[in-house]
Amino acid sequence: MRKERRSRIGSYAISSSMSTRDHRQQPCITCTTFNILAPIYKRLNINNDQDQNSRESDYRAYWLVRNQRILDSLLRERSSIICLQEFWLGNEELVNMYEKRLGDAGYLNYKLARTNNRGDGLLIAVRKDYFRVINHRELLFNDCGDRVAQLLHVELAPPCSPCRNNDTRQEILIVNTHLLFPHDSSLSLVRLNQVYKILQYVESYQKENKLSPTPIMLCGDWNGSKRGHVYKFLRSQGFVSSYDTAHQYTDADAHKWVSHLNHRGNICGVDFIWLLNPNRYRKLLKTSWSEAVFGMFKYLLRRASLTEKDAFAFLKADSDSDWITYSGFCEALQQLNLTGHCNGLSDEETKDLWVQADIDGNGVLDYKEFQQRIWNPTWSEQKDDVIQDDSPKGREEQTIGFSVENAVLFPPEVEKGMWPENYSLSDHARLTVVFSPIRMPCSQLIS
């Protein structure tokens, strides 16, 4: 009985949400993200064998049974959107099994392999009775991690859409990705750039297709917690963590839940479904990116035990003047390992940072500019306000957004910050979020 209750956790999330919102009579859509641990990465300890090179991929019976159980759980839940990471695209039998079972259950499936024949990749599956697929795009980062991302552009189909008239857009952009694991601090910048590329790609896709503000869902394994630079970057762009929203957790609540037991034996919360509604204020993307890099810059300076005055002196290098020159700035970036290697900032990115920091444009940074842009940035306050549409009634442009009704992690122990010893589906928890489509005015201006 206990096992059945847990296996149907997503269904209970939906029914629980529906019971509190019957007065609206609006349908829900659900989204699941799950890193299913590719068999080529799953280590086995068979007969107390100490060989760490033993992988589940070498034992068909093992990976077949585990992935059948994963599919069983996904099909019991029957989310409207399923985003999988570490999908073993290198094995035809496993791929065919997922395609057949998901296809028979009414899903449209889209796959994307990582570059350089890594063996695994991504899968998005959407229910045909919930969505009409407009477009599917593939984003290849072509970086040291061979990571990729999927972009799916869909339109809500009746009865999921709350609107029947033609003046209201009913489209969603869904992204599925799996960021690089931060094996060392130098890779933090790579991960930040991967997110930057995703948001740039989404922005260019919207412009290319002349889309008005549209809800965006970013799903996947972000390989970083709520304390990291990626989290802060996405928050600065107006995205909210759906799970934290559902449970009314703040940005400071970094230890309330976990979703991953990593290969180092640490538990952490790294799996997110991010939501950006079309009525949110958004900063310019380049501004948010600069904030995030300067945040990393300050973190590295403080990790070196530098005070504010010491940090300013470090950036001045050997200059006797009371300002920072561009050459001193570049030298400091290199000493902090942010430039000078293939994973570091490019020359163009370094110049962009300098332009953002040089507020008055006089070619040097004085102490005040150092404080405002690097040490105590005044631009980093998060705005969670929504757009107030002051246009005349009858002319305000409407679109579809989403309210977060509920969010559930499975197994349930992870919601309390614990990892159960008897959980064997993956080294990640499964996250399912319940959304309710709602009408809202859309933002006309990105400020």
Side-chain angles (χ1 to χ4, degrees), residues 76-138:
R76 277 194 298 266
E77 198 166 67
R78 283 189 60 77
S79 285
S80 321
I81 305 162
I82 298 173
C83 293
L84 303 182
Q85 303 86 43
E86 289 198 22
F87 182 60
W88 192 20
L89 283 156
N91 185 282
E92 187 177 353
E93 182 181 2
L94 182 139
V95 171
N96 290 340
M97 179 175 71
Y98 273 83
E99 287 195 323
K100 183 175 189 325
R101 291 194 61 184
L102 289 170
D104 289 347
Y107 286 90
L108 294 170
N109 307 311
Y110 299 87
K111 310 180 298 295
L112 178 59
R114 287 171 65 189
T115 50
N116 288 324
N117 297 314
R118 286 297 191 110
D120 69 307
L122 307 171
L123 181 142
I124 296 182
V126 292
R127 285 176 55 173
K128 290 185 283 189
D129 54 341
Y130 274 66
F131 304 103
R132 180 180 73 86
V133 175
I134 298 172
N135 205 347
H136 175 246
R137 292 285 186 89
E138 300 176 349

Coordinates of all heavy atoms in Angstrom, one line a residue, residues 76-138:
R76 N 2.6 5.8 -15.0 CA 1.5 5.9 -14.0 C 1.2 7.4 -13.7 O 0.1 7.7 -13.5 CB 2.0 5.2 -12.7 CG 1.8 3.7 -12.7 CD 1.9 3.1 -11.3 NE 3.3 3.3 -10.7 CZ 4.2 2.5 -10.8 NH1 4.0 1.3 -11.4 NH2 5.4 2.7 -10.3
E77 N 2.3 8.2 -13.7 CA 2.1 9.6 -13.4 C 1.5 10.3 -14.6 O 0.7 11.3 -14.4 CB 3.5 10.2 -13.1 CG 3.4 11.5 -12.4 CD 4.8 11.9 -11.8 OE1 5.7 12.1 -12.5 OE2 4.9 11.9 -10.5
R78 N 1.8 10.0 -15.8 CA 1.3 10.5 -17.0 C 1.3 12.1 -17.0 O 0.3 12.7 -17.3 CB -0.2 10.0 -17.3 CG -0.2 8.6 -17.8 CD -1.6 8.2 -18.2 NE -2.1 9.1 -19.3 CZ -1.8 9.0 -20.6 NH1 -0.9 8.1 -21.0 NH2 -2.4 9.8 -21.5
S79 N 2.5 12.6 -16.8 CA 2.6 14.1 -16.8 C 2.4 14.5 -18.3 O 2.6 13.8 -19.2 CB 4.0 14.5 -16.4 OG 4.1 14.4 -15.0
S80 N 1.9 15.8 -18.4 CA 1.7 16.4 -19.7 C 3.0 16.6 -20.4 O 3.1 16.4 -21.7 CB 1.0 17.7 -19.6 OG 0.1 17.7 -18.6
I81 N 4.1 16.9 -19.7 CA 5.4 17.1 -20.2 C 6.4 16.2 -19.4 O 6.4 16.3 -18.2 CB 5.9 18.6 -20.1 CG1 4.8 19.5 -20.8 CG2 7.3 18.8 -20.7 CD1 5.0 21.0 -20.3
I82 N 7.3 15.5 -20.1 CA 8.3 14.7 -19.5 C 9.7 15.1 -20.0 O 9.9 15.1 -21.3 CB 8.1 13.2 -19.7 CG1 6.8 12.7 -19.0 CG2 9.3 12.4 -19.1 CD1 6.5 11.3 -19.4
C83 N 10.6 15.5 -19.2 CA 11.9 15.9 -19.6 C 12.9 15.0 -18.9 O 13.0 15.0 -17.7 CB 12.3 17.4 -19.2 SG 11.3 18.6 -20.2
L84 N 13.7 14.2 -19.7 CA 14.6 13.3 -19.1 C 16.1 13.7 -19.5 O 16.3 14.2 -20.6 CB 14.4 11.8 -19.7 CG 13.0 11.2 -19.4 CD1 12.9 9.8 -20.0 CD2 12.6 11.2 -18.0
Q85 N 17.0 13.4 -18.6 CA 18.4 13.7 -18.8 C 19.1 12.3 -18.6 O 18.6 11.4 -17.9 CB 19.0 14.7 -17.8 CG 18.2 16.1 -17.9 CD 17.0 16.1 -17.0 OE1 17.1 15.7 -15.9 NE2 15.9 16.7 -17.5
E86 N 20.3 12.3 -19.1 CA 21.1 11.0 -19.1 C 20.3 9.9 -19.8 O 20.3 8.7 -19.3 CB 21.6 10.7 -17.7 CG 22.7 11.6 -17.2 CD 23.5 11.1 -16.1 OE1 23.6 9.8 -15.9 OE2 24.1 11.9 -15.3
F87 N 19.7 10.2 -20.8 CA 18.9 9.2 -21.6 C 19.9 8.4 -22.5 O 20.6 9.1 -23.3 CB 17.8 9.9 -22.4 CG 17.0 8.9 -23.2 CD1 16.3 7.9 -22.6 CD2 16.9 9.0 -24.6 CE1 15.5 7.0 -23.4 CE2 16.2 8.2 -25.4 CZ 15.4 7.2 -24.8
W88 N 20.0 7.1 -22.4 CA 21.1 6.3 -23.0 C 20.8 6.1 -24.5 O 20.2 5.1 -24.9 CB 21.2 5.0 -22.3 CG 22.4 4.2 -22.7 CD1 23.6 4.6 -23.3 CD2 22.6 2.8 -22.5 NE1 24.4 3.6 -23.5 CE2 23.9 2.5 -23.0 CE3 21.8 1.8 -21.9 CZ2 24.4 1.2 -23.0 CZ3 22.3 0.5 -21.9 CH2 23.6 0.2 -22.4
L89 N 21.1 7.1 -25.3 CA 20.9 7.1 -26.7 C 21.8 6.1 -27.4 O 21.6 5.8 -28.6 CB 21.0 8.5 -27.3 CG 19.8 9.4 -27.0 CD1 20.2 10.8 -27.1 CD2 18.7 9.1 -28.0
G90 N 22.9 5.7 -26.8 CA 23.8 4.8 -27.4 C 23.4 3.3 -27.5 O 24.0 2.5 -28.1
N91 N 22.2 3.0 -26.9 CA 21.7 1.7 -26.9 C 20.3 1.6 -27.6 O 19.3 2.2 -27.1 CB 21.5 1.1 -25.5 CG 21.1 -0.3 -25.4 OD1 19.9 -0.6 -25.6 ND2 22.1 -1.2 -25.2
E92 N 20.3 1.0 -28.8 CA 19.1 1.0 -29.6 C 17.9 0.3 -28.9 O 16.8 0.8 -29.1 CB 19.4 0.3 -30.9 CG 18.3 0.4 -31.9 CD 18.7 -0.2 -33.3 OE1 19.8 -0.6 -33.5 OE2 17.8 -0.3 -34.2
E93 N 18.2 -0.7 -28.2 CA 17.1 -1.5 -27.5 C 16.4 -0.6 -26.5 O 15.2 -0.5 -26.4 CB 17.6 -2.7 -26.9 CG 16.5 -3.6 -26.2 CD 17.1 -4.8 -25.5 OE1 18.3 -5.0 -25.5 OE2 16.2 -5.6 -25.0
L94 N 17.2 0.1 -25.7 CA 16.6 1.0 -24.7 C 15.8 2.1 -25.3 O 14.7 2.5 -24.9 CB 17.7 1.5 -23.8 CG 17.2 2.4 -22.6 CD1 17.9 2.1 -21.3 CD2 17.4 3.9 -22.9
V95 N 16.4 2.7 -26.4 CA 15.7 3.8 -27.1 C 14.4 3.4 -27.6 O 13.4 4.1 -27.5 CB 16.6 4.4 -28.2 CG1 15.8 5.4 -29.0 CG2 17.9 5.1 -27.6
N96 N 14.4 2.2 -28.3 CA 13.1 1.7 -28.9 C 12.1 1.4 -27.8 O 10.9 1.6 -28.0 CB 13.4 0.4 -29.7 CG 14.2 0.7 -30.9 OD1 14.2 1.9 -31.4 ND2 14.9 -0.3 -31.5
M97 N 12.5 0.9 -26.6 CA 11.6 0.6 -25.5 C 10.9 1.9 -25.1 O 9.7 1.9 -24.9 CB 12.4 0.0 -24.4 CG 11.5 -0.3 -23.2 SD 12.4 -1.3 -21.9 CE 13.5 0.0 -21.3
Y98 N 11.7 3.0 -24.9 CA 11.1 4.2 -24.4 C 10.2 4.8 -25.5 O 9.1 5.3 -25.2 CB 12.2 5.3 -24.1 CG 12.7 5.2 -22.7 CD1 13.6 4.2 -22.3 CD2 12.2 6.0 -21.7 CE1 14.1 4.2 -21.0 CE2 12.6 6.0 -20.4 CZ 13.6 5.0 -20.0 OH 14.0 5.0 -18.7
E99 N 10.6 4.8 -26.8 CA 9.8 5.3 -27.8 C 8.5 4.6 -28.0 O 7.4 5.2 -28.2 CB 10.6 5.3 -29.1 CG 11.7 6.4 -29.2 CD 12.2 6.6 -30.6 OE1 12.3 5.6 -31.4 OE2 12.5 7.7 -31.0
K100 N 8.5 3.3 -27.9 CA 7.3 2.5 -28.1 C 6.3 2.7 -26.9 O 5.2 3.0 -27.1 CB 7.6 1.0 -28.2 CG 6.4 0.1 -28.4 CD 6.7 -1.3 -28.7 CE 5.5 -2.1 -29.1 NZ 4.2 -1.7 -28.6
R101 N 6.8 2.6 -25.7 CA 5.9 2.7 -24.5 C 5.4 4.1 -24.4 O 4.2 4.3 -24.1 CB 6.6 2.3 -23.3 CG 6.9 0.7 -23.2 CD 7.3 0.3 -21.9 NE 6.2 0.5 -20.9 CZ 6.3 0.2 -19.6 NH1 7.5 -0.3 -19.1 NH2 5.3 0.4 -18.8
L102 N 6.2 5.1 -24.6 CA 5.7 6.5 -24.5 C 4.8 6.8 -25.7 O 3.8 7.5 -25.6 CB 6.9 7.5 -24.5 CG 7.7 7.5 -23.2 CD1 9.0 8.4 -23.4 CD2 6.9 8.1 -22.1
G103 N 5.2 6.3 -26.9 CA 4.3 6.5 -28.1 C 3.0 5.9 -27.9 O 1.9 6.5 -28.2
D104 N 2.9 4.7 -27.4 CA 1.7 3.9 -27.2 C 0.8 4.7 -26.2 O -0.4 4.5 -26.2 CB 1.9 2.5 -26.7 CG 2.5 1.6 -27.8 OD1 2.5 2.1 -29.0 OD2 3.0 0.5 -27.5
A105 N 1.4 5.4 -25.2 CA 0.7 6.1 -24.2 C 0.2 7.5 -24.7 O -0.3 8.3 -23.9 CB 1.6 6.2 -23.0
G106 N 0.5 7.8 -25.9 CA 0.0 9.1 -26.5 C 1.0 10.3 -26.4 O 0.6 11.4 -26.5
Y107 N 2.3 10.0 -26.3 CA 3.3 11.0 -26.3 C 4.0 11.2 -27.6 O 4.2 10.2 -28.4 CB 4.4 10.7 -25.2 CG 3.9 10.9 -23.8 CD1 3.3 9.8 -23.1 CD2 4.1 12.1 -23.1 CE1 2.9 9.9 -21.8 CE2 3.7 12.2 -21.8 CZ 3.1 11.2 -21.1 OH 2.7 11.3 -19.8
L108 N 4.4 12.4 -27.9 CA 5.3 12.7 -29.0 C 6.7 12.9 -28.4 O 6.9 13.5 -27.4 CB 5.0 14.0 -29.7 CG 3.6 14.0 -30.5 CD1 3.3 15.4 -30.9 CD2 3.7 13.1 -31.7
N109 N 7.7 12.2 -28.9 CA 9.1 12.1 -28.3 C 10.1 12.9 -29.2 O 10.1 12.7 -30.4 CB 9.5 10.7 -28.2 CG 8.5 9.9 -27.4 OD1 8.0 10.3 -26.3 ND2 8.1 8.7 -27.9
Y110 N 11.0 13.6 -28.5 CA 12.1 14.3 -29.2 C 13.4 14.0 -28.4 O 13.5 14.2 -27.2 CB 11.8 15.8 -29.2 CG 10.5 16.1 -30.0 CD1 9.3 16.1 -29.3 CD2 10.6 16.4 -31.3 CE1 8.1 16.4 -30.0 CE2 9.4 16.7 -32.0 CZ 8.2 16.7 -31.4 OH 7.0 17.0 -32.1
K111 N 14.4 13.5 -29.2 CA 15.6 13.1 -28.5 C 16.8 14.0 -29.1 O 16.7 14.5 -30.2 CB 16.0 11.6 -28.9 CG 14.8 10.7 -28.6 CD 15.2 9.2 -29.0 CE 15.5 9.1 -30.5 NZ 14.4 9.3 -31.3
L112 N 17.8 14.1 -28.2 CA 19.0 14.8 -28.6 C 20.2 14.2 -27.9 O 20.3 14.2 -26.7 CB 18.9 16.3 -28.3 CG 20.1 17.2 -28.6 CD1 20.5 17.1 -30.1 CD2 19.9 18.6 -28.2
A113 N 21.2 13.8 -28.7 CA 22.4 13.2 -28.1 C 23.4 14.3 -27.8 O 23.5 15.3 -28.5 CB 23.0 12.2 -29.1
R114 N 24.2 14.0 -26.8 CA 25.4 14.9 -26.5 C 26.4 14.8 -27.6 O 26.4 13.8 -28.3 CB 26.0 14.6 -25.2 CG 25.2 14.9 -24.0 CD 25.8 14.4 -22.7 NE 27.1 14.9 -22.4 CZ 27.9 14.4 -21.5 NH1 27.5 13.4 -20.7 NH2 29.1 15.0 -21.3
T115 N 27.2 15.8 -27.8 CA 28.2 15.8 -28.9 C 29.3 14.9 -28.6 O 29.5 14.5 -27.4 CB 28.7 17.3 -29.2 OG1 29.0 17.8 -27.9 CG2 27.6 18.1 -29.8
N116 N 30.1 14.6 -29.6 CA 31.3 13.8 -29.5 C 31.0 12.3 -29.0 O 31.8 11.7 -28.3 CB 32.4 14.4 -28.6 CG 33.0 15.6 -29.3 OD1 33.3 15.6 -30.5 ND2 33.3 16.6 -28.5
N117 N 29.8 11.8 -29.4 CA 29.5 10.4 -29.1 C 29.6 10.1 -27.6 O 30.2 9.0 -27.3 CB 30.3 9.5 -29.9 CG 30.1 9.7 -31.4 OD1 28.9 9.8 -31.8 ND2 31.1 9.8 -32.2
R118 N 29.1 10.9 -26.7 CA 29.2 10.6 -25.3 C 28.3 9.5 -24.9 O 28.5 8.9 -23.8 CB 28.8 11.9 -24.5 CG 29.9 13.0 -24.5 CD 31.2 12.5 -23.8 NE 32.1 13.6 -23.6 CZ 32.4 14.1 -22.4 NH1 31.9 13.6 -21.3 NH2 33.3 15.1 -22.3
G119 N 27.3 9.1 -25.7 CA 26.5 8.0 -25.4 C 25.1 8.3 -24.8 O 24.2 7.5 -24.9
D120 N 25.0 9.4 -24.0 CA 23.7 9.8 -23.4 C 23.3 11.1 -24.0 O 24.0 11.7 -24.8 CB 23.9 9.8 -21.9 CG 24.7 11.0 -21.5 OD1 25.9 11.1 -21.9 OD2 24.3 11.8 -20.6
G121 N 22.1 11.5 -23.6 CA 21.5 12.8 -24.1 C 20.2 13.1 -23.4 O 20.0 12.8 -22.2
L122 N 19.4 13.8 -24.1 CA 18.1 14.3 -23.6 C 16.9 13.7 -24.3 O 17.0 13.3 -25.5 CB 18.1 15.8 -23.7 CG 19.3 16.6 -23.1 CD1 19.2 18.0 -23.5 CD2 19.3 16.5 -21.6
L123 N 15.8 13.7 -23.6 CA 14.5 13.3 -24.2 C 13.4 14.2 -23.7 O 13.3 14.4 -22.5 CB 14.2 11.9 -24.0 CG 12.8 11.4 -24.6 CD1 13.0 9.9 -25.2 CD2 11.7 11.4 -23.6
I124 N 12.6 14.8 -24.6 CA 11.3 15.5 -24.2 C 10.2 14.7 -24.8 O 10.2 14.3 -25.9 CB 11.3 16.9 -24.7 CG1 12.3 17.8 -24.1 CG2 9.9 17.5 -24.4 CD1 12.3 19.3 -24.5
A125 N 9.2 14.4 -23.9 CA 8.0 13.8 -24.4 C 6.8 14.6 -24.0 O 6.7 15.1 -22.8 CB 7.8 12.4 -23.8
V126 N 5.9 14.9 -24.9 CA 4.7 15.7 -24.6 C 3.4 15.0 -25.0 O 3.4 14.3 -26.1 CB 4.7 17.1 -25.2 CG1 5.8 18.0 -24.6 CG2 4.9 17.0 -26.7
R127 N 2.4 15.1 -24.3 CA 1.1 14.4 -24.6 C 0.4 15.1 -25.8 O 0.2 16.3 -25.8 CB 0.2 14.3 -23.4 CG 0.7 13.3 -22.4 CD -0.1 13.3 -21.1 NE -1.6 13.1 -21.3 CZ -2.5 12.9 -20.4 NH1 -2.1 12.9 -19.1 NH2 -3.7 12.8 -20.7
K128 N 0.1 14.3 -26.7 CA -0.6 14.8 -28.0 C -2.0 15.4 -27.7 O -2.4 16.3 -28.4 CB -0.8 13.7 -29.0 CG 0.6 13.2 -29.6 CD 0.4 12.2 -30.7 CE 0.0 10.8 -30.1 NZ 0.1 9.8 -31.2
D129 N -2.6 14.9 -26.6 CA -3.9 15.5 -26.3 C -3.9 16.8 -25.5 O -4.9 17.4 -25.3 CB -4.8 14.4 -25.5 CG -4.1 13.9 -24.2 OD1 -2.8 14.1 -24.2 OD2 -4.8 13.4 -23.4
Y130 N -2.6 17.2 -25.1 CA -2.5 18.4 -24.4 C -1.8 19.5 -25.2 O -2.1 20.7 -25.0 CB -1.6 18.2 -23.2 CG -2.3 17.7 -22.0 CD1 -2.9 16.5 -21.9 CD2 -2.4 18.5 -20.8 CE1 -3.6 16.1 -20.8 CE2 -3.1 18.1 -19.7 CZ -3.7 16.9 -19.7 OH -4.3 16.4 -18.6
F131 N -1.0 19.2 -26.2 CA -0.3 20.2 -27.0 C -0.2 19.9 -28.5 O -0.3 18.7 -28.9 CB 1.2 20.2 -26.5 CG 1.4 20.4 -25.0 CD1 1.7 19.4 -24.2 CD2 1.2 21.7 -24.5 CE1 1.9 19.6 -22.8 CE2 1.4 21.9 -23.1 CZ 1.7 20.8 -22.3
R132 N -0.1 21.0 -29.2 CA 0.3 20.9 -30.6 C 1.7 21.4 -30.7 O 2.0 22.5 -30.3 CB -0.7 21.8 -31.5 CG -0.3 21.7 -33.0 CD -1.3 22.6 -33.8 NE -1.0 24.1 -33.6 CZ -0.1 24.8 -34.2 NH1 0.6 24.2 -35.2 NH2 0.0 26.1 -34.0
V133 N 2.6 20.6 -31.3 CA 4.0 21.0 -31.3 C 4.2 21.9 -32.6 O 3.9 21.5 -33.7 CB 4.9 19.8 -31.4 CG1 6.4 20.2 -31.6 CG2 4.8 18.9 -30.2
I134 N 4.7 23.1 -32.3 CA 5.0 24.1 -33.4 C 6.4 23.9 -33.9 O 6.6 24.0 -35.1 CB 4.8 25.5 -32.8 CG1 3.3 25.7 -32.4 CG2 5.1 26.5 -33.9 CD1 3.1 27.0 -31.7
N135 N 7.4 23.7 -33.0 CA 8.7 23.6 -33.5 C 9.6 22.9 -32.5 O 9.3 22.9 -31.3 CB 9.3 25.0 -33.8 CG 10.4 25.0 -34.8 OD1 11.0 23.9 -35.1 ND2 10.8 26.2 -35.2
H136 N 10.7 22.2 -32.9 CA 11.7 21.6 -32.0 C 13.0 22.1 -32.5 O 13.4 21.9 -33.7 CB 11.6 20.1 -32.0 CG 12.7 19.4 -31.2 ND1 13.6 18.6 -31.8 CD2 13.0 19.5 -29.9 CE1 14.5 18.2 -30.9 NE2 14.1 18.7 -29.7
R137 N 13.8 22.6 -31.6 CA 15.2 23.1 -32.0 C 16.2 22.4 -31.1 O 15.9 22.1 -29.9 CB 15.3 24.6 -31.8 CG 14.4 25.4 -32.8 CD 15.1 25.4 -34.2 NE 14.4 26.3 -35.1 CZ 14.7 27.6 -35.3 NH1 15.6 28.2 -34.6 NH2 14.0 28.3 -36.2
E138 N 17.4 22.3 -31.6 CA 18.5 21.7 -30.9 C 19.6 22.7 -30.7 O 20.0 23.4 -31.6 CB 19.0 20.5 -31.6 CG 18.0 19.4 -31.8 CD 18.5 18.3 -32.7 OE1 19.6 18.4 -33.3 OE2 17.8 17.2 -32.8

